[in-house]
Amino acid sequence: MGFHNTEEAIFTQPLDVSTSLKTETSTTITKPSNVTSTKCSTSSKKNFTNGLTNNHILRHSFRTPDAIKTPSNTPPTFLKNNNSVKVECQVRARIPTSTGEFFLHLYRNNRDNKEHLAVVYGDNIRSNSLDASRPEENEMDRIIRGAYKGRLKPGQIKSDISDGDDPNISSIQLPPPLVRIHSECFTGETVHSARCDCGEQLDEAMRLIQLEGHGVVIYLRQEGRGIGLADKLRAYNLQDLGYDTVTANLFLKHPPDLRNYDVATKILDDLNLSTIRLLTNNPDKIEQIEEAGIKVIERVPMIPITWQNNLDSNRIGKEVDQYLKVKVERMGHLLSIPETLLHIDNI
């Protein structure tokens, strides 16, 4: 397999959208009582998927021609058959950081025209599509696209170690890796917006994966829960007018969460990761990943740093608290709201 390389929103307020959404979800979303790691079993799975059917329905129910105006950079409507998605790792490169070395894998796929990424820590995790031989390529071609083992050295001309063994791969049996499936957030990761905790989540996921010794951050290019950066910024303006993040999306004719994880599950498959421990608070993400055949044996919560300490409700940065409250109260995310925020109205 190979891959070759009037958007004006209709500002019509949905009829009583805030009330209708609360009515539709209030019977199923339950607030978790703790934030400790959740092991997956028949009984515990209910705990972190309970109420998520509503979120799944909401994600698709607004996806109609007259309800969503689709700009060119909005992800296309995803097919239900996950087997139709194909991914291929185009190139891999070593990325040294201040805390350790990662390998950045760039993927192309047959679903959209975006370059999704896998940030891999640990030499035991390799890409099948990257390592596969390609027609008419020589050893230097393989080295340049990252299909080598071990570490490159000046003057190296072979992609594999001569004795067939990679000394960087330990023979010790490792537990299932930590995996974070992370959606792009330009505002939170690049300009450090305090409206969300996305940048913090990405940094924390990479830190935890390094502590574990192996794992992956799959970085999906689906900005703004899938609505794109332009509508995300429009939603920011609506939030300044008093809408919360869910109602702002609905005002712009989008579902609360348009994201899909088909490409992510195919990347996991390409990396030979069929059993994982997932860093997430989002039950909808767990459901989609498990429906695609990936076994999630443990949910590792992403607890915001600001919620791990005593809070001052008047402090600078309180917008992120309101954002997180909405994710818990209206989208069923699995976090316990600090006592100091329970009686503060959402913005």
Side-chain angles (χ1 to χ4, degrees), residues 48-117:
F48 61 68
T49 59
N50 195 22
L52 112 123
T53 303
N54 255 334
N55 200 25
H56 187 75
I57 292 170
L58 284 169
R59 180 160 39 85
H60 294 284
S61 62
F62 291 86
R63 201 178 296 170
T64 57
D66 58 343
I68 303 176
K69 191 163 186 177
T70 308
S72 59
N73 64 344
T74 297
T77 301
F78 288 101
L79 304 175
K80 289 185 178 180
N81 182 7
N82 186 259
N83 291 327
S84 65
V85 183
K86 294 181 174 61
V87 302
E88 182 179 80
C89 184
Q90 300 284 287
V91 62
R92 176 189 77 138
R94 183 179 62 88
I95 307 294
T97 73
S98 59
T99 57
E101 287 186 351
F102 290 83
F103 277 87
L104 186 62
H105 299 60
L106 185 147
Y107 280 86
R108 297 300 302 271
N109 69 91
N110 64 339
R111 175 59 64 76
D112 57 42
N113 198 31
K114 298 180 180 180
E115 294 174 331
H116 302 284
L117 304 164

Side-chain angles (χ1 to χ4, degrees), residues 1-4 88 129-139 141-142 145:
M1 172 184 57
F3 297 101
H4 301 287
E88 182 179 80
S129 60
L130 181 77
D131 286 342
S133 60
R134 298 181 184 176
E136 300 181 4
E137 72 173 355
N138 57 36
E139 284 292 281
D141 293 332
R142 290 183 62 80
R145 66 180 177 85

Side-chain angles (χ1 to χ4, degrees), residues 89-107 116-127 130-131 142-153 156 159 161 166-169 178 180 202 206 209-210 213-219 267 270-271 273:
C89 184
Q90 300 284 287
V91 62
R92 176 189 77 138
R94 183 179 62 88
I95 307 294
T97 73
S98 59
T99 57
E101 287 186 351
F102 290 83
F103 277 87
L104 186 62
H105 299 60
L106 185 147
Y107 280 86
H116 302 284
L117 304 164
V119 187
V120 173
Y121 188 81
D123 294 285
N124 59 311
I125 300 174
R126 296 194 62 88
S127 161
L130 181 77
D131 286 342
R142 290 183 62 80
I143 289 173
I144 291 173
R145 66 180 177 85
Y148 61 84
K149 293 182 179 180
R151 296 292 184 273
L152 292 179
K153 299 176 182 177
Q156 185 170 326
S159 62
I161 296 175
D166 187 344
N168 293 290
I169 299 179
L178 276 181
R180 168 72 182 166
L202 180 59
M206 293 179 70
I209 284 169
Q210 281 187 273
H214 72 151
V216 181
V217 173
I218 295 178
Y219 191 87
I267 291 175
D270 182 64
L271 295 172
L273 301 179

Side-chain angles (χ1 to χ4, degrees), residues 133-333:
S133 60
R134 298 181 184 176
E136 300 181 4
E137 72 173 355
N138 57 36
E139 284 292 281
M140 186 55 66
D141 293 332
R142 290 183 62 80
I143 289 173
I144 291 173
R145 66 180 177 85
Y148 61 84
K149 293 182 179 180
R151 296 292 184 273
L152 292 179
K153 299 176 182 177
Q156 185 170 326
I157 59 173
K158 288 190 175 183
S159 62
D160 207 343
I161 296 175
S162 58
D163 60 6
D165 294 322
D166 187 344
N168 293 290
I169 299 179
S170 171
S171 60
I172 299 173
Q173 185 68 33
L174 296 171
L178 276 181
V179 172
R180 168 72 182 166
I181 299 175
H182 187 90
S183 297
E184 179 180 31
C185 179
F186 176 84
T187 51
E189 297 159 4
T190 305
V191 296
H192 309 293
S193 166
R195 290 182 186 261
C196 68
D197 64 332
C198 300
E200 173 192 314
Q201 285 189 332
L202 180 59
D203 292 343
E204 179 66 1
M206 293 179 70
R207 185 187 74 84
L208 292 173
I209 284 169
Q210 281 187 273
L211 287 176
E212 285 284 318
H214 72 151
V216 181
V217 173
I218 295 178
Y219 191 87
L220 300 177
R221 315 304 288 273
Q222 43 186 13
E223 179 78 49
R225 296 188 195 137
I227 69 174
L229 185 56
D231 268 357
K232 179 181 181 179
L233 297 180
R234 294 185 179 103
Y236 276 6
N237 291 332
L238 287 168
Q239 289 171 46
D240 286 341
L241 291 174
Y243 292 77
D244 65 34
T245 58
V246 168
T247 309
N249 270 27
L250 297 175
F251 191 100
L252 294 172
K253 311 297 185 184
H254 294 298
D257 193 341
L258 191 56
R259 291 175 295 177
N260 183 283
Y261 302 102
D262 285 359
V263 170
T265 57
K266 288 301 183 181
I267 291 175
L268 288 172
D269 185 58
D270 182 64
L271 295 172
N272 300 299
L273 301 179
S274 58
T275 302
I276 64 172
R277 296 153 61 218
L278 192 62
L279 284 156
T280 188
N281 301 323
N282 186 353
D284 187 43
K285 186 182 295 184
I286 299 170
E287 182 188 46
Q288 289 195 51
I289 295 302
E290 291 200 317
E291 281 181 350
I294 303 296
K295 186 176 181 181
V296 180
I297 64 163
E298 182 181 3
R299 180 188 78 85
V300 180
M302 300 290 291
I303 307 173
I305 293 173
T306 56
W307 283 18
Q308 297 176 28
N309 307 305
N310 292 327
L311 295 173
D312 173 7
S313 60
N314 295 315
R315 67 185 174 84
I316 295 174
K318 64 181 180 181
E319 288 178 75
V320 71
D321 298 327
Q322 307 298 353
Y323 163 84
L324 291 166
K325 278 187 68 183
V326 169
K327 288 172 79 171
V328 173
E329 295 173 345
R330 304 197 65 190
M331 302 182 72
H333 283 217

